[in-house]
Amino acid sequence: MHLENGKLPQDILKPIRGGGQLYTKAARDWNAMCKDMAKDGIVIETVSRGYRPYSVQLAMWVKRWQRRPNNRKPVVTKVWNQEMWYLRVGESPSAVPGTSPHGWGCAQDINHRNKKLFNWMCNNAPKYNYWLQADKDSKYREDWHWHWLAPDVE
């Protein structure tokens, strides 16, 4: 079966605690993590729906990025369709449409401002194959973005 980012068939997506859907195995691990989190008195607070269809990725891109330079400091750019795009003032970055881990059903965003939840995730999420996404130099990280990475992906 050929799969495309943001165009996954419904039968490989499963509901998750906190709302939304993830890829079957990612959902299994997410739900187990949330169940154990609740035992510790923590309630999951999500700020996304997990799986992100291509149409949603595209709408997010158009809202957050523009083709001309602006007054944003620092300047944040990405290339898409062989064109330079500039992050709009007041917006947070998003992935180029069709490249988001959300499009594979393998990422979920949490309310990272809830320090009790964030600390629990930092200390426990790797046991469930969830990792805080950061760039290779850790200069930029998205404290809300938790990416499922497991050795048993088929």
Side-chain angles (χ1 to χ4, degrees):
M1 173 188 320
H2 174 73
L3 300 176
E4 291 183 53
N5 185 298
K7 300 175 182 177
L8 300 182
Q10 193 60 41
D11 65 338
I12 67 167
L13 298 169
K14 301 297 177 209
I16 56 169
R17 291 180 184 224
Q21 299 177 307
L22 290 172
Y23 165 67
T24 303
K25 292 180 181 183
R28 173 201 63 207
D29 290 352
W30 180 266
N31 289 332
M33 179 178 67
C34 290
K35 183 178 177 184
D36 290 346
M37 181 187 298
K39 291 177 187 174
D40 290 339
I42 310 286
V43 176
I44 189 64
E45 294 177 42
T46 59
V47 295
S48 78
R49 305 285 301 158
Y51 173 66
R52 193 169 289 159
Y54 184 85
S55 61
V56 174
Q57 294 178 52
L58 182 60
M60 184 180 288
W61 178 266
V62 170
K63 177 184 179 289
R64 295 181 180 191
W65 298 86
Q66 63 188 47
R67 290 189 187 126
R68 62 187 183 286
N70 55 40
N71 295 326
R72 182 185 173 88
K73 300 290 184 228
V75 174
V76 179
T77 61
K78 286 189 180 182
V79 175
W80 181 47
N81 286 342
Q82 301 176 350
E83 291 184 78
M84 183 68 70
W85 289 71
Y86 298 83
L87 186 62
R88 296 177 190 270
V89 175
E91 294 290 348
S92 59
S94 61
V96 168
T99 68
S100 172
H102 287 279
W104 293 116
C106 293
Q108 179 60 298
D109 298 335
I110 67 161
N111 176 7
H112 67 287
R113 290 182 177 90
N114 177 334
K115 294 304 175 195
K116 197 172 176 185
L117 170 60
F118 181 73
N119 290 335
W120 192 97
M121 292 288 289
C122 289
N123 291 322
N124 297 285
K127 298 175 207 167
Y128 304 90
N129 303 310
Y130 277 88
W131 303 88
L132 181 60
Q133 183 168 324
D135 70 7
K136 65 181 177 182
D137 300 320
S138 295
K139 292 178 186 171
Y140 176 76
R141 73 176 198 205
E142 298 177 342
D143 287 347
W144 58 90
H145 187 82
W146 292 80
H147 193 155
W148 180 77
L149 299 169
D152 65 346
V153 175
E154 297 169 358

